[in-house]
PDB file of all heavy atoms in Angstrom:
ATOM      1  N   ASP A 396      14.907   1.292  -9.921  1.00  0.00           N
ATOM      2  CA  ASP A 396      14.049   1.724 -11.012  1.00  0.00           C
ATOM      3  C   ASP A 396      13.298   0.626 -11.733  1.00  0.00           C
ATOM      4  O   ASP A 396      12.952   0.735 -12.914  1.00  0.00           O
ATOM      5  CB  ASP A 396      14.799   2.619 -12.038  1.00  0.00           C
ATOM      6  CG  ASP A 396      15.328   3.915 -11.399  1.00  0.00           C
ATOM      7  OD1 ASP A 396      14.724   4.396 -10.505  1.00  0.00           O
ATOM      8  OD2 ASP A 396      16.358   4.381 -11.886  1.00  0.00           O
ATOM      9  N   ASN A 397      13.126  -0.469 -11.001  1.00  0.00           N
ATOM     10  CA  ASN A 397      12.308  -1.582 -11.575  1.00  0.00           C
ATOM     11  C   ASN A 397      10.809  -1.373 -11.232  1.00  0.00           C
ATOM     12  O   ASN A 397      10.496  -1.126 -10.124  1.00  0.00           O
ATOM     13  CB  ASN A 397      12.824  -2.971 -11.132  1.00  0.00           C
ATOM     14  CG  ASN A 397      11.993  -4.055 -11.644  1.00  0.00           C
ATOM     15  OD1 ASN A 397      11.762  -4.208 -12.840  1.00  0.00           O
ATOM     16  ND2 ASN A 397      11.551  -4.862 -10.828  1.00  0.00           N
ATOM     17  N   GLN A 398       9.931  -1.527 -12.245  1.00  0.00           N
ATOM     18  CA  GLN A 398       8.501  -1.424 -12.019  1.00  0.00           C
ATOM     19  C   GLN A 398       7.708  -2.665 -12.073  1.00  0.00           C
ATOM     20  O   GLN A 398       6.470  -2.613 -11.921  1.00  0.00           O
ATOM     21  CB  GLN A 398       7.941  -0.382 -13.022  1.00  0.00           C
ATOM     22  CG  GLN A 398       8.561   1.017 -12.905  1.00  0.00           C
ATOM     23  CD  GLN A 398       8.012   1.975 -13.838  1.00  0.00           C
ATOM     24  OE1 GLN A 398       8.597   3.068 -14.115  1.00  0.00           O
ATOM     25  NE2 GLN A 398       6.905   1.731 -14.515  1.00  0.00           N
ATOM     26  N   ASP A 399       8.301  -3.767 -12.300  1.00  0.00           N
ATOM     27  CA  ASP A 399       7.644  -5.085 -12.445  1.00  0.00           C
ATOM     28  C   ASP A 399       7.369  -5.700 -11.087  1.00  0.00           C
ATOM     29  O   ASP A 399       8.326  -6.009 -10.307  1.00  0.00           O
ATOM     30  CB  ASP A 399       8.451  -5.993 -13.365  1.00  0.00           C
ATOM     31  CG  ASP A 399       7.728  -7.191 -13.806  1.00  0.00           C
ATOM     32  OD1 ASP A 399       6.592  -7.548 -13.227  1.00  0.00           O
ATOM     33  OD2 ASP A 399       8.144  -7.910 -14.762  1.00  0.00           O
ATOM     34  N   LEU A 400       6.102  -5.892 -10.813  1.00  0.00           N
ATOM     35  CA  LEU A 400       5.690  -6.456  -9.436  1.00  0.00           C
ATOM     36  C   LEU A 400       6.269  -7.929  -9.311  1.00  0.00           C
ATOM     37  O   LEU A 400       6.623  -8.296  -8.136  1.00  0.00           O
ATOM     38  CB  LEU A 400       4.175  -6.670  -9.413  1.00  0.00           C
ATOM     39  CG  LEU A 400       3.431  -5.314  -9.149  1.00  0.00           C
ATOM     40  CD1 LEU A 400       1.916  -5.532  -9.285  1.00  0.00           C
ATOM     41  CD2 LEU A 400       3.735  -4.773  -7.800  1.00  0.00           C
ATOM     42  N   ARG A 401       6.531  -8.585 -10.362  1.00  0.00           N
ATOM     43  CA  ARG A 401       7.014  -9.980 -10.253  1.00  0.00           C
ATOM     44  C   ARG A 401       8.519 -10.016  -9.881  1.00  0.00           C
ATOM     45  O   ARG A 401       8.961 -11.094  -9.498  1.00  0.00           O
ATOM     46  CB  ARG A 401       6.838 -10.609 -11.631  1.00  0.00           C
ATOM     47  CG  ARG A 401       5.374 -10.803 -12.046  1.00  0.00           C
ATOM     48  CD  ARG A 401       5.191 -11.247 -13.510  1.00  0.00           C
ATOM     49  NE  ARG A 401       5.587 -10.223 -14.409  1.00  0.00           N
ATOM     50  CZ  ARG A 401       5.435 -10.221 -15.766  1.00  0.00           C
ATOM     51  NH1 ARG A 401       4.952 -11.249 -16.265  1.00  0.00           N
ATOM     52  NH2 ARG A 401       5.903  -9.194 -16.474  1.00  0.00           N
ATOM     53  N   ARG A 402       9.165  -8.870  -9.858  1.00  0.00           N
ATOM     54  CA  ARG A 402      10.556  -8.810  -9.377  1.00  0.00           C
ATOM     55  C   ARG A 402      10.607  -8.174  -7.975  1.00  0.00           C
ATOM     56  O   ARG A 402      11.696  -7.858  -7.533  1.00  0.00           O
ATOM     57  CB  ARG A 402      11.397  -7.987 -10.435  1.00  0.00           C
ATOM     58  CG  ARG A 402      11.341  -8.452 -11.839  1.00  0.00           C
ATOM     59  CD  ARG A 402      11.877  -9.878 -11.977  1.00  0.00           C
ATOM     60  NE  ARG A 402      13.332  -9.935 -11.689  1.00  0.00           N
ATOM     61  CZ  ARG A 402      14.270  -9.530 -12.505  1.00  0.00           C
ATOM     62  NH1 ARG A 402      14.068  -9.217 -13.739  1.00  0.00           N
ATOM     63  NH2 ARG A 402      15.530  -9.639 -12.118  1.00  0.00           N
ATOM     64  N   TYR A 403       9.544  -8.083  -7.322  1.00  0.00           N
ATOM     65  CA  TYR A 403       9.491  -7.603  -5.939  1.00  0.00           C
ATOM     66  C   TYR A 403       9.369  -8.674  -4.955  1.00  0.00           C
ATOM     67  O   TYR A 403       9.679  -9.810  -5.285  1.00  0.00           O
ATOM     68  CB  TYR A 403       8.277  -6.580  -5.793  1.00  0.00           C
ATOM     69  CG  TYR A 403       8.444  -5.262  -6.518  1.00  0.00           C
ATOM     70  CD1 TYR A 403       7.370  -4.426  -6.622  1.00  0.00           C
ATOM     71  CD2 TYR A 403       9.659  -4.902  -7.164  1.00  0.00           C
ATOM     72  CE1 TYR A 403       7.450  -3.215  -7.311  1.00  0.00           C
ATOM     73  CE2 TYR A 403       9.770  -3.742  -7.858  1.00  0.00           C
ATOM     74  CZ  TYR A 403       8.635  -2.840  -7.977  1.00  0.00           C
ATOM     75  OH  TYR A 403       8.640  -1.724  -8.705  1.00  0.00           O
ATOM     76  N   GLY A 404       8.938  -8.351  -3.812  1.00  0.00           N
ATOM     77  CA  GLY A 404       8.633  -9.393  -2.759  1.00  0.00           C
ATOM     78  C   GLY A 404       9.523  -9.143  -1.551  1.00  0.00           C
ATOM     79  O   GLY A 404      10.757  -8.953  -1.683  1.00  0.00           O
ATOM     80  N   GLY A 405       8.946  -9.316  -0.353  1.00  0.00           N
ATOM     81  CA  GLY A 405       9.714  -9.283   0.888  1.00  0.00           C
ATOM     82  C   GLY A 405      10.214  -7.899   1.158  1.00  0.00           C
ATOM     83  O   GLY A 405      11.266  -7.745   2.079  1.00  0.00           O
ATOM     84  N   LEU A 406       9.727  -6.826   0.676  1.00  0.00           N
ATOM     85  CA  LEU A 406      10.318  -5.525   0.892  1.00  0.00           C
ATOM     86  C   LEU A 406       9.731  -4.822   2.193  1.00  0.00           C
ATOM     87  O   LEU A 406      10.170  -3.799   2.485  1.00  0.00           O
ATOM     88  CB  LEU A 406       9.929  -4.541  -0.341  1.00  0.00           C
ATOM     89  CG  LEU A 406      10.700  -4.874  -1.615  1.00  0.00           C
ATOM     90  CD1 LEU A 406      10.178  -3.936  -2.731  1.00  0.00           C
ATOM     91  CD2 LEU A 406      12.160  -4.739  -1.452  1.00  0.00           C
ATOM     92  N   ILE A 407       8.845  -5.531   2.885  1.00  0.00           N
ATOM     93  CA  ILE A 407       8.357  -4.947   4.140  1.00  0.00           C
ATOM     94  C   ILE A 407       9.410  -4.783   5.140  1.00  0.00           C
ATOM     95  O   ILE A 407       9.372  -3.793   5.972  1.00  0.00           O
ATOM     96  CB  ILE A 407       7.217  -5.835   4.670  1.00  0.00           C
ATOM     97  CG1 ILE A 407       6.494  -5.159   5.872  1.00  0.00           C
ATOM     98  CG2 ILE A 407       7.736  -7.223   5.020  1.00  0.00           C
ATOM     99  CD1 ILE A 407       5.326  -5.877   6.325  1.00  0.00           C
ATOM    100  N   SER A 408      10.436  -5.549   5.133  1.00  0.00           N
ATOM    101  CA  SER A 408      11.517  -5.491   6.126  1.00  0.00           C
ATOM    102  C   SER A 408      12.461  -4.263   5.719  1.00  0.00           C
ATOM    103  O   SER A 408      13.139  -3.749   6.719  1.00  0.00           O
ATOM    104  CB  SER A 408      12.294  -6.794   6.144  1.00  0.00           C
ATOM    105  OG  SER A 408      11.500  -7.913   6.571  1.00  0.00           O
ATOM    106  N   PHE A 409      12.539  -4.026   4.462  1.00  0.00           N
ATOM    107  CA  PHE A 409      13.484  -2.949   4.041  1.00  0.00           C
ATOM    108  C   PHE A 409      12.780  -1.615   3.916  1.00  0.00           C
ATOM    109  O   PHE A 409      13.431  -0.617   4.136  1.00  0.00           O
ATOM    110  CB  PHE A 409      14.046  -3.315   2.643  1.00  0.00           C
ATOM    111  CG  PHE A 409      14.764  -4.609   2.614  1.00  0.00           C
ATOM    112  CD1 PHE A 409      14.013  -5.747   2.355  1.00  0.00           C
ATOM    113  CD2 PHE A 409      16.086  -4.739   2.919  1.00  0.00           C
ATOM    114  CE1 PHE A 409      14.739  -7.027   2.356  1.00  0.00           C
ATOM    115  CE2 PHE A 409      16.769  -5.872   2.923  1.00  0.00           C
ATOM    116  CZ  PHE A 409      16.058  -7.035   2.714  1.00  0.00           C
ATOM    117  N   LEU A 410      11.469  -1.582   3.726  1.00  0.00           N
ATOM    118  CA  LEU A 410      10.805  -0.309   3.442  1.00  0.00           C
ATOM    119  C   LEU A 410       9.484  -0.286   4.338  1.00  0.00           C
ATOM    120  O   LEU A 410       8.351  -0.258   3.853  1.00  0.00           O
ATOM    121  CB  LEU A 410      10.287  -0.152   2.008  1.00  0.00           C
ATOM    122  CG  LEU A 410      11.395  -0.277   0.966  1.00  0.00           C
ATOM    123  CD1 LEU A 410      10.792  -0.320  -0.522  1.00  0.00           C
ATOM    124  CD2 LEU A 410      12.360   0.826   1.031  1.00  0.00           C
ATOM    125  N   PRO A 411       9.664  -0.232   5.675  1.00  0.00           N
ATOM    126  CA  PRO A 411       8.532  -0.321   6.542  1.00  0.00           C
ATOM    127  C   PRO A 411       7.527   0.912   6.444  1.00  0.00           C
ATOM    128  O   PRO A 411       6.306   0.893   6.437  1.00  0.00           O
ATOM    129  CB  PRO A 411       9.036  -0.430   7.924  1.00  0.00           C
ATOM    130  CG  PRO A 411      10.449   0.149   7.845  1.00  0.00           C
ATOM    131  CD  PRO A 411      10.869  -0.190   6.374  1.00  0.00           C
ATOM    132  N   LEU A 412       8.138   2.146   6.253  1.00  0.00           N
ATOM    133  CA  LEU A 412       7.300   3.354   6.091  1.00  0.00           C
ATOM    134  C   LEU A 412       6.556   3.373   4.829  1.00  0.00           C
ATOM    135  O   LEU A 412       5.369   3.694   4.829  1.00  0.00           O
ATOM    136  CB  LEU A 412       8.309   4.555   6.199  1.00  0.00           C
ATOM    137  CG  LEU A 412       7.610   5.892   5.921  1.00  0.00           C
ATOM    138  CD1 LEU A 412       6.573   6.190   7.039  1.00  0.00           C
ATOM    139  CD2 LEU A 412       8.589   7.090   5.866  1.00  0.00           C
ATOM    140  N   THR A 413       7.222   2.957   3.708  1.00  0.00           N
ATOM    141  CA  THR A 413       6.588   2.870   2.397  1.00  0.00           C
ATOM    142  C   THR A 413       5.391   1.830   2.455  1.00  0.00           C
ATOM    143  O   THR A 413       4.343   2.044   1.935  1.00  0.00           O
ATOM    144  CB  THR A 413       7.582   2.506   1.310  1.00  0.00           C
ATOM    145  OG1 THR A 413       8.653   3.410   1.358  1.00  0.00           O
ATOM    146  CG2 THR A 413       6.901   2.506   0.018  1.00  0.00           C
ATOM    147  N   TYR A 414       5.693   0.716   3.069  1.00  0.00           N
ATOM    148  CA  TYR A 414       4.597  -0.272   3.261  1.00  0.00           C
ATOM    149  C   TYR A 414       3.460   0.321   3.960  1.00  0.00           C
ATOM    150  O   TYR A 414       2.216   0.090   3.565  1.00  0.00           O
ATOM    151  CB  TYR A 414       5.224  -1.461   3.974  1.00  0.00           C
ATOM    152  CG  TYR A 414       4.125  -2.459   4.417  1.00  0.00           C
ATOM    153  CD1 TYR A 414       3.363  -3.222   3.541  1.00  0.00           C
ATOM    154  CD2 TYR A 414       3.771  -2.574   5.760  1.00  0.00           C
ATOM    155  CE1 TYR A 414       2.396  -4.101   4.003  1.00  0.00           C
ATOM    156  CE2 TYR A 414       2.811  -3.339   6.251  1.00  0.00           C
ATOM    157  CZ  TYR A 414       2.073  -4.154   5.355  1.00  0.00           C
ATOM    158  OH  TYR A 414       1.120  -4.970   5.795  1.00  0.00           O
ATOM    159  N   THR A 415       3.706   1.001   5.078  1.00  0.00           N
ATOM    160  CA  THR A 415       2.653   1.565   5.915  1.00  0.00           C
ATOM    161  C   THR A 415       1.760   2.527   5.059  1.00  0.00           C
ATOM    162  O   THR A 415       0.512   2.485   5.071  1.00  0.00           O
ATOM    163  CB  THR A 415       3.221   2.269   7.150  1.00  0.00           C
ATOM    164  OG1 THR A 415       3.965   1.327   7.848  1.00  0.00           O
ATOM    165  CG2 THR A 415       2.088   2.801   7.970  1.00  0.00           C
ATOM    166  N   VAL A 416       2.398   3.487   4.358  1.00  0.00           N
ATOM    167  CA  VAL A 416       1.673   4.471   3.606  1.00  0.00           C
ATOM    168  C   VAL A 416       0.900   3.878   2.434  1.00  0.00           C
ATOM    169  O   VAL A 416      -0.186   4.392   2.144  1.00  0.00           O
ATOM    170  CB  VAL A 416       2.610   5.610   3.173  1.00  0.00           C
ATOM    171  CG1 VAL A 416       3.201   6.322   4.403  1.00  0.00           C
ATOM    172  CG2 VAL A 416       3.679   5.164   2.283  1.00  0.00           C
ATOM    173  N   ILE A 417       1.555   2.915   1.805  1.00  0.00           N
ATOM    174  CA  ILE A 417       0.753   2.302   0.649  1.00  0.00           C
ATOM    175  C   ILE A 417      -0.377   1.514   1.215  1.00  0.00           C
ATOM    176  O   ILE A 417      -1.513   1.458   0.572  1.00  0.00           O
ATOM    177  CB  ILE A 417       1.734   1.388  -0.181  1.00  0.00           C
ATOM    178  CG1 ILE A 417       2.752   2.230  -1.038  1.00  0.00           C
ATOM    179  CG2 ILE A 417       0.994   0.456  -1.094  1.00  0.00           C
ATOM    180  CD1 ILE A 417       3.647   1.491  -1.790  1.00  0.00           C
ATOM    181  N   LEU A 418      -0.266   0.829   2.420  1.00  0.00           N
ATOM    182  CA  LEU A 418      -1.374   0.157   2.948  1.00  0.00           C
ATOM    183  C   LEU A 418      -2.522   1.121   3.323  1.00  0.00           C
ATOM    184  O   LEU A 418      -3.695   0.849   3.105  1.00  0.00           O
ATOM    185  CB  LEU A 418      -0.945  -0.552   4.268  1.00  0.00           C
ATOM    186  CG  LEU A 418      -2.017  -1.285   5.040  1.00  0.00           C
ATOM    187  CD1 LEU A 418      -2.572  -2.508   4.127  1.00  0.00           C
ATOM    188  CD2 LEU A 418      -1.358  -1.921   6.352  1.00  0.00           C
ATOM    189  N   ILE A 419      -2.128   2.228   3.847  1.00  0.00           N
ATOM    190  CA  ILE A 419      -3.194   3.319   4.156  1.00  0.00           C
ATOM    191  C   ILE A 419      -3.867   3.801   2.973  1.00  0.00           C
ATOM    192  O   ILE A 419      -5.127   3.875   2.904  1.00  0.00           O
ATOM    193  CB  ILE A 419      -2.475   4.494   4.939  1.00  0.00           C
ATOM    194  CG1 ILE A 419      -1.998   3.988   6.304  1.00  0.00           C
ATOM    195  CG2 ILE A 419      -3.446   5.651   5.080  1.00  0.00           C
ATOM    196  CD1 ILE A 419      -1.157   5.052   7.084  1.00  0.00           C
ATOM    197  N   ALA A 420      -3.090   4.085   1.889  1.00  0.00           N
ATOM    198  CA  ALA A 420      -3.668   4.535   0.645  1.00  0.00           C
ATOM    199  C   ALA A 420      -4.555   3.491  -0.013  1.00  0.00           C
ATOM    200  O   ALA A 420      -5.582   3.810  -0.543  1.00  0.00           O
ATOM    201  CB  ALA A 420      -2.548   4.956  -0.311  1.00  0.00           C
ATOM    202  N   SER A 421      -4.138   2.242   0.105  1.00  0.00           N
ATOM    203  CA  SER A 421      -4.931   1.105  -0.503  1.00  0.00           C
ATOM    204  C   SER A 421      -6.241   0.966   0.236  1.00  0.00           C
ATOM    205  O   SER A 421      -7.322   0.672  -0.350  1.00  0.00           O
ATOM    206  CB  SER A 421      -4.136  -0.152  -0.494  1.00  0.00           C
ATOM    207  OG  SER A 421      -2.971  -0.063  -1.324  1.00  0.00           O
ATOM    208  N   LEU A 422      -6.182   0.997   1.616  1.00  0.00           N
ATOM    209  CA  LEU A 422      -7.368   0.905   2.415  1.00  0.00           C
ATOM    210  C   LEU A 422      -8.396   2.061   2.057  1.00  0.00           C
ATOM    211  O   LEU A 422      -9.550   1.797   2.007  1.00  0.00           O
ATOM    212  CB  LEU A 422      -7.038   0.938   3.864  1.00  0.00           C
ATOM    213  CG  LEU A 422      -6.336  -0.306   4.442  1.00  0.00           C
ATOM    214  CD1 LEU A 422      -5.981  -0.130   5.890  1.00  0.00           C
ATOM    215  CD2 LEU A 422      -7.272  -1.537   4.292  1.00  0.00           C
ATOM    216  N   SER A 423      -7.844   3.267   1.850  1.00  0.00           N
ATOM    217  CA  SER A 423      -8.707   4.349   1.460  1.00  0.00           C
ATOM    218  C   SER A 423      -9.267   4.133   0.046  1.00  0.00           C
ATOM    219  O   SER A 423     -10.371   4.496  -0.182  1.00  0.00           O
ATOM    220  CB  SER A 423      -7.886   5.677   1.539  1.00  0.00           C
ATOM    221  OG  SER A 423      -8.740   6.734   1.397  1.00  0.00           O
ATOM    222  N   LEU A 424      -8.494   3.591  -0.779  1.00  0.00           N
ATOM    223  CA  LEU A 424      -8.896   3.339  -2.228  1.00  0.00           C
ATOM    224  C   LEU A 424     -10.067   2.302  -2.260  1.00  0.00           C
ATOM    225  O   LEU A 424     -11.043   2.521  -2.991  1.00  0.00           O
ATOM    226  CB  LEU A 424      -7.692   2.812  -3.034  1.00  0.00           C
ATOM    227  CG  LEU A 424      -8.031   2.327  -4.416  1.00  0.00           C
ATOM    228  CD1 LEU A 424      -8.580   3.391  -5.368  1.00  0.00           C
ATOM    229  CD2 LEU A 424      -6.783   1.771  -5.124  1.00  0.00           C
ATOM    230  N   VAL A 425      -9.950   1.297  -1.465  1.00  0.00           N
ATOM    231  CA  VAL A 425     -11.027   0.205  -1.464  1.00  0.00           C
ATOM    232  C   VAL A 425     -12.182   0.567  -0.548  1.00  0.00           C
ATOM    233  O   VAL A 425     -13.100  -0.169  -0.310  1.00  0.00           O
ATOM    234  CB  VAL A 425     -10.447  -1.218  -1.029  1.00  0.00           C
ATOM    235  CG1 VAL A 425      -9.313  -1.550  -2.017  1.00  0.00           C
ATOM    236  CG2 VAL A 425      -9.962  -1.162   0.401  1.00  0.00           C
ATOM    237  N   ALA A 426     -12.161   1.787  -0.033  1.00  0.00           N
ATOM    238  CA  ALA A 426     -13.229   2.346   0.821  1.00  0.00           C
ATOM    239  C   ALA A 426     -13.401   1.528   2.128  1.00  0.00           C
ATOM    240  O   ALA A 426     -14.509   1.184   2.508  1.00  0.00           O
ATOM    241  CB  ALA A 426     -14.587   2.348   0.067  1.00  0.00           C
ATOM    242  N   PHE A 427     -12.240   1.267   2.753  1.00  0.00           N
ATOM    243  CA  PHE A 427     -12.350   0.641   4.028  1.00  0.00           C
ATOM    244  C   PHE A 427     -12.970   1.615   5.009  1.00  0.00           C
ATOM    245  O   PHE A 427     -12.701   2.817   5.042  1.00  0.00           O
ATOM    246  CB  PHE A 427     -10.969   0.193   4.557  1.00  0.00           C
ATOM    247  CG  PHE A 427     -10.939  -0.669   5.719  1.00  0.00           C
ATOM    248  CD1 PHE A 427     -11.192  -2.027   5.512  1.00  0.00           C
ATOM    249  CD2 PHE A 427     -10.754  -0.184   6.965  1.00  0.00           C
ATOM    250  CE1 PHE A 427     -11.134  -2.899   6.695  1.00  0.00           C
ATOM    251  CE2 PHE A 427     -10.793  -1.038   8.070  1.00  0.00           C
ATOM    252  CZ  PHE A 427     -10.970  -2.447   7.883  1.00  0.00           C
ATOM    253  N   PRO A 428     -13.822   1.205   5.971  1.00  0.00           N
ATOM    254  CA  PRO A 428     -14.555   2.028   6.836  1.00  0.00           C
ATOM    255  C   PRO A 428     -13.650   2.956   7.632  1.00  0.00           C
ATOM    256  O   PRO A 428     -12.638   2.617   8.161  1.00  0.00           O
ATOM    257  CB  PRO A 428     -15.333   1.145   7.799  1.00  0.00           C
ATOM    258  CG  PRO A 428     -15.583  -0.164   6.897  1.00  0.00           C
ATOM    259  CD  PRO A 428     -14.363  -0.210   6.102  1.00  0.00           C
ATOM    260  N   PHE A 429     -14.107   4.289   7.640  1.00  0.00           N
ATOM    261  CA  PHE A 429     -13.505   5.359   8.414  1.00  0.00           C
ATOM    262  C   PHE A 429     -12.197   5.842   7.786  1.00  0.00           C
ATOM    263  O   PHE A 429     -11.540   6.667   8.419  1.00  0.00           O
ATOM    264  CB  PHE A 429     -13.329   4.930   9.870  1.00  0.00           C
ATOM    265  CG  PHE A 429     -14.522   4.438  10.418  1.00  0.00           C
ATOM    266  CD1 PHE A 429     -14.575   3.064  10.928  1.00  0.00           C
ATOM    267  CD2 PHE A 429     -15.716   5.128  10.546  1.00  0.00           C
ATOM    268  CE1 PHE A 429     -15.762   2.537  11.400  1.00  0.00           C
ATOM    269  CE2 PHE A 429     -16.837   4.550  11.112  1.00  0.00           C
ATOM    270  CZ  PHE A 429     -16.840   3.254  11.517  1.00  0.00           C
ATOM    271  N   MET A 430     -11.811   5.395   6.606  1.00  0.00           N
ATOM    272  CA  MET A 430     -10.747   5.974   5.845  1.00  0.00           C
ATOM    273  C   MET A 430     -11.384   7.059   4.940  1.00  0.00           C
ATOM    274  O   MET A 430     -12.605   7.174   4.774  1.00  0.00           O
ATOM    275  CB  MET A 430     -10.023   4.941   5.022  1.00  0.00           C
ATOM    276  CG  MET A 430      -9.496   3.761   5.832  1.00  0.00           C
ATOM    277  SD  MET A 430      -8.183   4.273   7.028  1.00  0.00           S
ATOM    278  CE  MET A 430      -6.820   4.505   5.820  1.00  0.00           C
ATOM    279  N   THR A 431     -10.546   7.868   4.392  1.00  0.00           N
ATOM    280  CA  THR A 431     -11.016   9.057   3.645  1.00  0.00           C
ATOM    281  C   THR A 431     -11.857   8.671   2.366  1.00  0.00           C
ATOM    282  O   THR A 431     -12.888   9.180   2.227  1.00  0.00           O
ATOM    283  CB  THR A 431      -9.811   9.876   3.186  1.00  0.00           C
ATOM    284  OG1 THR A 431      -9.237  10.550   4.238  1.00  0.00           O
ATOM    285  CG2 THR A 431     -10.200  10.906   2.109  1.00  0.00           C
ATOM    286  N   GLY A 432     -11.326   7.621   1.616  1.00  0.00           N
ATOM    287  CA  GLY A 432     -12.155   7.163   0.460  1.00  0.00           C
ATOM    288  C   GLY A 432     -13.477   6.574   0.819  1.00  0.00           C
ATOM    289  O   GLY A 432     -14.386   6.498  -0.065  1.00  0.00           O
ATOM    290  N   PHE A 433     -13.652   6.110   2.047  1.00  0.00           N
ATOM    291  CA  PHE A 433     -14.939   5.415   2.457  1.00  0.00           C
ATOM    292  C   PHE A 433     -16.084   6.402   2.323  1.00  0.00           C
ATOM    293  O   PHE A 433     -17.137   6.010   1.931  1.00  0.00           O
ATOM    294  CB  PHE A 433     -14.796   4.822   3.804  1.00  0.00           C
ATOM    295  CG  PHE A 433     -16.080   4.446   4.422  1.00  0.00           C
ATOM    296  CD1 PHE A 433     -16.707   3.233   4.067  1.00  0.00           C
ATOM    297  CD2 PHE A 433     -16.680   5.280   5.390  1.00  0.00           C
ATOM    298  CE1 PHE A 433     -17.876   2.877   4.760  1.00  0.00           C
ATOM    299  CE2 PHE A 433     -17.851   4.793   6.047  1.00  0.00           C
ATOM    300  CZ  PHE A 433     -18.446   3.636   5.666  1.00  0.00           C
ATOM    301  N   TYR A 434     -15.915   7.611   2.836  1.00  0.00           N
ATOM    302  CA  TYR A 434     -17.046   8.531   2.976  1.00  0.00           C
ATOM    303  C   TYR A 434     -17.626   9.010   1.666  1.00  0.00           C
ATOM    304  O   TYR A 434     -18.788   9.395   1.579  1.00  0.00           O
ATOM    305  CB  TYR A 434     -16.537   9.745   3.866  1.00  0.00           C
ATOM    306  CG  TYR A 434     -16.246   9.380   5.262  1.00  0.00           C
ATOM    307  CD1 TYR A 434     -14.892   9.208   5.635  1.00  0.00           C
ATOM    308  CD2 TYR A 434     -17.215   9.221   6.236  1.00  0.00           C
ATOM    309  CE1 TYR A 434     -14.574   8.844   6.927  1.00  0.00           C
ATOM    310  CE2 TYR A 434     -16.881   8.842   7.492  1.00  0.00           C
ATOM    311  CZ  TYR A 434     -15.596   8.625   7.782  1.00  0.00           C
ATOM    312  OH  TYR A 434     -15.228   8.274   9.097  1.00  0.00           O
ATOM    313  N   SER A 435     -16.829   9.012   0.610  1.00  0.00           N
ATOM    314  CA  SER A 435     -17.337   9.385  -0.615  1.00  0.00           C
ATOM    315  C   SER A 435     -17.743   8.195  -1.527  1.00  0.00           C
ATOM    316  O   SER A 435     -18.826   8.112  -2.132  1.00  0.00           O
ATOM    317  CB  SER A 435     -16.298  10.195  -1.382  1.00  0.00           C
ATOM    318  OG  SER A 435     -15.088   9.582  -1.524  1.00  0.00           O
TER     319      SER A 435
END
């Protein structure tokens, strides 16, 4: 239940699925081509 980014790091090995979905959501947020957020 910690929310401080400064206490994170290296969680890709422990949370690969979470990393994948957050990466997808972030790419859509920044309007990366052909992601959902890009078209609008």
